[in-house]
Amino acid sequence: MTSRTLVVIGLGWLGVFFIVPLLMLAMTSLNLDGGAVWENYAVALSGVYISAIVRSFYYGLVTTAISLILAYALAYYIVFYSENERFMLGLVILPFWVAYIIRYLGIQLFFSPNGPFVDVFGSNMGLLFSTEGVIIGLTSALLPFAILPIYNSLKSIDQELINASYTLGAGSYRTLVSIIFPLSLSGVVAAAIIEFILATGSFLGPALLGGPGNTMIANIIATTFRAGFNIELASAIAIIYTVILTTVLVTFNSVVNIGEVLSDL
C-alpha cells in the first residue's frame, strides 16, 4: 500500500466521520425553514449555555496544567529512577482496561461519606459534587494520556547528551532545564493537546462528580437534546464549541508549531 493510498484513506475517513457530520450539524443549527436564521446561536451564546462553555474551557485548562505537572514528574521518575520500568508502565496503562464510568464512580465512592477519604480526614472537605471534585476526577481519569507521550519523548533522549551535561559541570536541575525539558517538549505538547481536548469535552466527569453548577458543554448539549428535544439548539452549541476549540488550537499552533514539534515524537 503506497503512501498516497494511505493519505486518501485517512482523508476519506476524516471527511465521512468528521467533516460531513459537522456540516450536517451546521445545517441543522440554522433556522432555514423560517424565523431568524441565527436565532439558535443567539440563545447558545447567552445565559446558562455560555456559562457552560466558559466553564468547560476553564476546567480543561486547569486539568491540563495539573496533569502536565504530575505526568512529567511521573514520566521523569519512570525513565531515570525506576528500577522496574516495565512494571511502572504497566501501572500507567492499567486504567485503560477500566471503563471511564467505573473510574469516575470509584472517585465518587472514594470521597463519599462512607469512603476512605472521610474515614481518614473526618470529612470530604467539600470535594464531592464541586469544581474541585470535577477537576480531580478529570485529572485522575485522563492522566495516563499525558504520561505516555511525555514518557516516550524522555525515553528517546540520547543519554550521551545528559552525560555530557554532567561532565561539563551542570547539576541535575540545570541538566533538566537546559537539556532534558527542551528535548522532551514534543511529548509535553502532545500531552497538552490530548488532555485539553478530552477534559474540555468530558461528559461523565461533571455528571458524576459535579453539582448543578458544574455542568460542562457536553452535559448541556445532552440535556438540550434529550430533555427538550431541541436538536437545532443542541447543534448550535456543538458548532460553537467546535469553532472555539479549533480557534484555540490554531492560536496555540501559531505560537508553538505543533507539526514541527510533534515530528520529534
Side-chain angles (χ1 to χ4, degrees):
M1 187 175 292
T2 64
S3 58
R4 179 175 297 181
T5 303
L6 292 174
V7 170
V8 170
I9 293 174
L11 292 176
W13 183 275
L14 181 65
V16 172
F17 294 103
F18 180 72
I19 302 299
V20 173
L22 198 61
L23 292 175
M24 293 174 65
L25 280 176
M27 294 298 295
T28 304
S29 66
L30 300 174
N31 285 332
L32 299 178
D33 297 331
V37 175
W38 303 101
E39 180 181 357
N40 293 314
Y41 287 91
V43 175
L45 290 172
S46 64
V48 65
Y49 304 107
I50 190 64
S51 297
I53 293 174
V54 173
R55 188 181 302 113
S56 297
F57 281 91
Y58 169 70
Y59 286 178
L61 285 172
V62 174
T63 300
T64 301
I66 297 174
S67 296
L68 288 179
I69 295 172
L70 294 176
Y72 202 94
L74 289 170
Y76 186 87
Y77 172 80
I78 293 173
V79 173
F80 297 108
Y81 293 101
S82 176
E83 296 180 359
N84 196 332
E85 191 171 317
R86 291 186 177 181
F87 174 74
M88 294 296 293
L89 278 179
L91 293 179
V92 172
I93 297 172
L94 186 62
F96 289 120
W97 298 351
V98 181
Y100 275 111
I101 190 169
I102 302 299
R103 293 191 234 172
Y104 286 120
L105 283 174
I107 297 170
Q108 186 184 81
L109 292 174
F110 181 78
F111 289 112
S112 68
N114 298 321
F117 189 88
V118 175
D119 290 341
V120 174
F121 296 100
S123 168
N124 63 18
M125 301 180 185
L127 294 176
L128 193 60
F129 307 125
S130 66
T131 296
E132 293 79 7
V134 174
I135 292 175
I136 289 173
L138 292 174
T139 303
S140 176
L142 302 178
L143 189 60
F145 289 102
I147 295 176
L148 292 177
I150 294 176
Y151 165 82
N152 184 62
S153 62
L154 288 173
K155 192 68 176 177
S156 64
I157 297 176
D158 189 348
Q159 184 63 38
E160 292 300 322
L161 295 175
I162 299 175
N163 295 337
S165 177
Y166 288 135
T167 300
L168 293 173
S172 298
Y173 176 77
R174 182 65 181 275
T175 300
L176 172 62
V177 173
S178 301
I179 304 297
I180 297 177
F181 182 76
L183 293 176
S184 63
L185 190 58
S186 58
V188 175
V189 171
I193 294 173
I194 296 171
E195 285 285 311
F196 182 74
I197 292 175
L198 293 178
T200 305
S202 176
F203 174 84
L204 288 174
L208 296 177
L209 300 172
N214 303 120
T215 52
M216 294 173 65
I217 188 67
N219 308 99
I220 290 295
I221 293 174
T223 302
T224 303
F225 178 76
R226 291 184 304 180
F229 203 66
N230 194 335
I231 302 175
E232 294 80 9
L233 179 56
S235 299
I237 300 171
I239 290 295
I240 291 172
Y241 164 71
T242 304
V243 170
I244 296 176
L245 182 62
T246 303
T247 302
V248 170
L249 292 177
V250 170
T251 303
F252 182 70
N253 185 59
S254 66
V255 178
V256 179
N257 191 320
I258 298 175
E260 181 178 340
V261 173
L262 295 185
S263 64
D264 296 332
L265 277 177

